[in-house]
Amino acid sequence: MVNRKTAKWIRKAHRYLGIFLGIQFLMWTISGMYFSWTNIDEIHGDHFKKAAPVQTSFNDLLGTAQLAVIEPVQSLELLEIANEPYYWINEAQLYNARTGQMKNGISKEEAQQVASRYMLNDLEIVKIQLVDSVGPHHEYRGRPLPAYEISYETPQNLKAYVAVENGAFQTVRHRDWRWFDFLWMTHTMDYQGRDNFNTLLLRAFSLLGLITVLSGFVLWYISSPSIRKLKKKIK
């Protein structure tokens, strides 16, 4: 049987570990409940978007030999910007596929037309602004910059993002996604990039959490009257 001094030490360790870890345990529980009770498609903003637009077919397009491409072509993607066909070459240069003219980014008006192909028609645009840089916690982090941020008149503070360089529609952000993003950060305990499950902080809290649970089982074992009676019967 564990002596009284050891039992007291285990109780104290269990109590203080519980206080120290309690807030994080609470955040793990709240975030887990939120993840399980929300629709991931709605978090992605799919209910604000149309069905995936069909790629428009174009005729009379130039060949790559007719373009003033500086470097050999390694990749080529046909894009539609404001009803015009463009080649996105080597993920760096944009050319009009009919005239061969190089295009240095898109305008606000073109970004609006790109967004209109993806977003629902009844959404009203209230502001379009150019985003040149974002912080590590910004909702548009990790995506091509610069980009146009298109804000809509909705209670959810809905925004769509279109890359300036090639006019590609990037993503949608809204209130529920921002809550998801915050709770995901508290769940993974990655306060920089959100998605690293191997941080020392998470490992430490996981280990301390395991110690807290095990110490609780030990306390139950050494203080349970039923266990004491059973031991006496065995003796």
Side-chain angles (χ1 to χ4, degrees):
M1 198 70 180
V2 177
N3 61 53
R4 184 173 297 179
K5 186 176 181 181
T6 303
K8 184 178 180 181
W9 184 87
I10 294 174
R11 285 192 181 91
K12 185 177 290 187
H14 180 77
R15 182 166 60 249
Y16 284 113
L17 278 173
I19 293 172
F20 179 66
L21 300 173
I23 295 176
Q24 184 57 43
F25 280 2
L26 183 63
M27 293 309 301
W28 277 335
T29 303
I30 293 173
S31 59
M33 291 174 62
Y34 186 84
F35 300 152
S36 63
W37 287 357
T38 52
N39 185 320
I40 193 62
D41 292 329
E42 291 186 0
I43 295 299
H44 291 159
D46 291 350
H47 55 303
F48 294 114
K49 296 189 288 186
K50 303 173 185 175
V54 178
Q55 175 67 55
T56 305
S57 299
F58 296 100
N59 297 316
D60 304 322
L61 303 183
L62 299 177
T64 55
Q66 298 170 280
L67 303 175
V69 180
I70 301 174
E71 298 179 356
V73 177
Q74 293 181 323
S75 65
L76 184 148
E77 183 181 0
L78 179 63
L79 302 175
E80 179 184 348
I81 303 174
N83 301 318
E84 283 291 319
Y86 285 87
Y87 291 138
W88 178 235
I89 297 178
N90 296 340
E91 298 184 355
Q93 296 173 314
L94 193 65
Y95 291 89
N96 189 300
R98 284 192 173 129
T99 66
Q101 183 178 359
M102 186 175 177
K103 187 175 179 63
N104 294 317
I106 65 171
S107 65
K108 284 186 178 182
E109 291 73 20
E110 289 170 329
Q112 182 175 342
Q113 291 186 54
V114 169
S116 68
R117 294 186 65 218
Y118 292 84
M119 305 299 287
L120 296 177
N121 293 329
D122 58 350
L123 293 172
E124 180 183 350
I125 296 175
V126 294
K127 184 173 65 173
I128 302 178
Q129 65 179 4
L130 182 65
V131 178
D132 291 310
S133 61
V134 297
H137 298 288
H138 193 276
E139 63 186 24
Y140 188 68
R141 62 187 180 274
R143 292 180 178 270
L145 288 169
Y148 285 111
E149 178 188 273
I150 304 173
S151 302
Y152 295 87
E153 182 64 54
T154 63
Q156 295 85 3
N157 191 19
L158 175 65
K159 296 180 180 180
Y161 291 89
V162 177
V164 171
E165 203 170 25
N166 64 353
F169 184 87
Q170 293 297 312
T171 192
V172 167
R173 295 291 184 252
H174 58 104
R175 182 187 58 204
D176 291 346
W177 183 94
R178 297 179 187 103
W179 273 113
F180 188 98
D181 185 54
F182 172 76
L183 291 173
W184 181 252
M185 177 184 68
T186 65
H187 199 80
T188 62
M189 300 189 74
D190 177 11
Y191 299 106
Q192 297 300 321
R194 305 290 203 272
D195 297 322
N196 185 4
F197 279 90
N198 297 313
T199 61
L200 290 176
L201 186 62
L202 181 59
R203 290 176 178 178
F205 268 74
S206 300
L207 181 60
L208 290 173
L210 179 61
I211 293 172
T212 303
V213 173
L214 292 178
S215 65
F217 282 125
V218 171
L219 283 174
W220 170 81
Y221 179 79
I222 64 178
S223 61
S224 171
S226 300
I227 297 296
R228 290 175 184 171
K229 291 178 182 179
L230 182 60
K231 284 188 174 183
K232 287 180 180 179
K233 288 182 181 180
I234 294 175
K235 290 179 179 180

